[in-house]
Amino acid sequence: MIKNIKIPDVTIERVALYLRPLEDYEKSGGHVISSDKLAELCNVNPAQVRKDLSFFGEFGVRGVGYEVSELLIEIKKILASDREWQMGIAGLDDIGMALVQHKNFLHRGYKFVAAFDSNPRNIGKHLPMGLVVQPLSKLKETAIDLSLEIGVIATPASIAQKTADLFFDAGILAVLNFSATHLRKPDCCLVQNVDFTFNLDHLAYRLNKKK
Amino acid sequence: MIKNIKIPDVTIERVALYLRPLEDYEKSGGHVISSDKLAELCNVNPAQVRKDLSFFGEFGVRGVGYEVSELLIEIKKILASDREWQMGIAGLDDIGMALVQHKNFLHRGYKFVAAFDSNPRNIGKHLPMGLVVQPLSKLKETAIDLSLEIGVIATPASIAQKTADLFFDAGILAVLNFSATHLRKPDCCLVQNVDFTFNLDHLAYRLNKKK
DNA sequence: GCCTGTGAATCCATTCACAGCT
DNA sequence: AGCTGTGAATGGATTCACAGGC
């Protein structure tokens, strides 16, 4: 019952935000939640919660609230996180290794099923979940074989663009970029950059402002 | 010459964004840049660039553009990234180790000068830059000794809140949180959450929307 | 009475368009 | 002529406030 008006990006971000406290709330025994309560857990305005959710349907019951388990399912449906996504990672130095080992990804359905590196020192390495690091030259073939949908770039900045191009060329439409470079991409593809120093810049700014 | 009207958060985020392409531009030999060019490098609107910068002063020359080296200095001054920040990290499993080794932090003036862990297996470990992992019980003392300003949390979610409280109690006003928990904090303190699965949720949503 | 869903009102951010300086 | 700086116009997003259903 998704309305065909434009849904703001910030709404998507907030809906993803709602997911986490909601899961905690369910775990702690809550079955029904009001927009007031959910808003409080997420530090947003209650009307905002209701409006955000109303973009996608009418999930609540007037006078009562939202049924938690149902809302969780709906949100996961909205975010398309109600299924597994097959991911490949390139670059298995410190960050790459940490990402592959990170449990949260799998818990949310993001599954690493292939790993690539250009460094002979890393190729052939055995990773958790039976993954073996393959050379970049195998990327396209493997991506097609395993129907990879998301590529994660954890290579040094110097080869990030080359690696991204390999992903794009293999038909992968979405890339999560942990390298410190801005990536050029075809119009059809999506890139999401993760740069920790951005977060620190923001913290530093706010720290500094309060003298 | 900072004006005392409220500066939007998004402006700060974009100003941090401008920094990186600007540095590249300077490295490739550019000395003067127009708002058009900078906007193109950052995928934003030229008027946006000018308005953002004008919140903080008049850095450009009409008819000419912005002097790159000067603009870099001004932006760093705005973000308070024209100096070193002393950081402590708690949690030295895979993510923590990757962060400590990550060169980008230091390059931007964010310096790890202390490391803490509760796991006896990690305590005493020697890290790059002469860091030695200390027990959490030493956190407060060390934080005060070294004038730590930013705390980085890379512990398991289960002890993230406890660790954050230690940082706050030691007088650290800013925390960068890599654990998958929402942290409670005193009003005077700042918390910035980093959750990679958020980025993936967003990618998944957009991937899914284009069928 | 209580809480959702939503039009209307408000608030804020972006973009336009041009005056003003070089 | 070229490009910045900025008031004014536009376009979105947030919040209010209440109608509508339990």
Side-chain angles (χ1 to χ4, degrees), chain B residues 142-208:
Chain B
T142 305
I144 294 168
D145 273 9
L146 300 178
S147 314
L148 295 188
E149 301 168 287
I150 298 176
V152 175
I153 295 191
T155 66
S158 54
I159 60 163
Q161 183 66 59
K162 199 189 85 184
T163 310
D165 292 339
L166 286 174
F167 276 129
F168 298 143
D169 184 50
I172 291 176
L173 300 178
V175 160
L176 187 64
N177 175 34
F178 284 86
S179 84
T181 330
H182 186 85
L183 297 176
R184 297 235 149 253
K185 64 167 190 74
D187 284 341
C188 62
C189 297
L190 306 168
V191 170
Q192 188 89 1
N193 295 296
V194 183
D195 184 342
F196 311 142
T197 60
F198 265 100
N199 296 292
L200 285 170
D201 283 351
H202 203 208
L203 268 184
Y205 171 81
R206 291 195 289 159
L207 256 182
N208 190 55

Side-chain angles (χ1 to χ4, degrees), chain A residues 147-200:
Chain A
S147 314
L148 296 188
E149 300 167 287
I150 299 175
V152 175
I153 296 192
T155 66
S158 54
I159 60 163
Q161 184 65 59
K162 199 189 86 184
T163 310
D165 292 340
L166 286 174
F167 276 130
F168 298 142
D169 184 48
I172 290 176
L173 300 178
V175 160
L176 187 64
N177 175 33
F178 284 85
S179 84
T181 330
H182 187 84
L183 297 176
R184 298 234 148 254
K185 65 167 190 73
D187 284 340
C188 61
C189 297
L190 306 168
V191 170
Q192 188 90 359
N193 294 296
V194 182
D195 184 343
F196 311 140
T197 60
F198 265 101
N199 297 291
L200 284 170

Side-chain angles (χ1 to χ4, degrees), chain A residues 83-115:
Chain A
R83 65 156 175 112
E84 262 190 8
W85 289 87
Q86 311 294 310
M87 304 200 298
I89 185 168
L92 288 137
D93 297 323
D94 37 11
I95 304 181
M97 288 297 288
L99 292 173
V100 169
Q101 264 143 320
H102 200 47
K103 310 260 178 8
N104 278 9
F105 289 123
L106 194 54
H107 170 245
R108 297 225 163 274
Y110 300 108
K111 189 173 180 185
F112 287 110
V113 294

Side-chain angles (χ1 to χ4, degrees), chain A residues 29-131:
Chain A
H31 288 109
V32 173
I33 195 167
S34 66
S35 59
D36 270 59
K37 180 68 184 165
L38 181 51
E40 185 204 317
L41 294 174
C42 301
N43 298 316
V44 300
N45 180 295
Q48 182 112 85
V49 171
R50 297 199 297 276
K51 180 140 284 186
D52 283 340
L53 294 174
S54 79
F55 277 114
F56 303 98
E58 307 197 359
F59 305 133
V61 180
R62 287 161 197 235
V64 180
Y66 301 88
E67 221 229 304
V68 179
S69 61
E70 193 197 317
L71 188 54
L72 278 169
I73 291 171
E74 291 295 346
I75 290 182
K76 286 182 183 170
K77 213 187 290 174
I78 291 165
L79 296 174
S81 79
D82 56 344
R83 65 156 175 112
E84 262 190 8
W85 289 87
Q86 311 294 310
M87 304 200 298
I89 185 168
L92 288 137
D93 297 323
D94 37 11
I95 304 181
M97 288 297 288
L99 292 173
V100 169
Q101 264 143 320
H102 200 47
K103 310 260 178 8
N104 278 9
F105 289 123
L106 194 54
H107 170 245
R108 297 225 163 274
Y110 300 108
K111 189 173 180 185
F112 287 110
V113 294
F116 309 93
D117 202 307
S118 59
N119 188 333
R121 205 184 48 219
N122 288 334
I123 293 168
K125 244 194 219 173
H126 285 257
L127 308 178
M129 317 272 305
L131 255 60

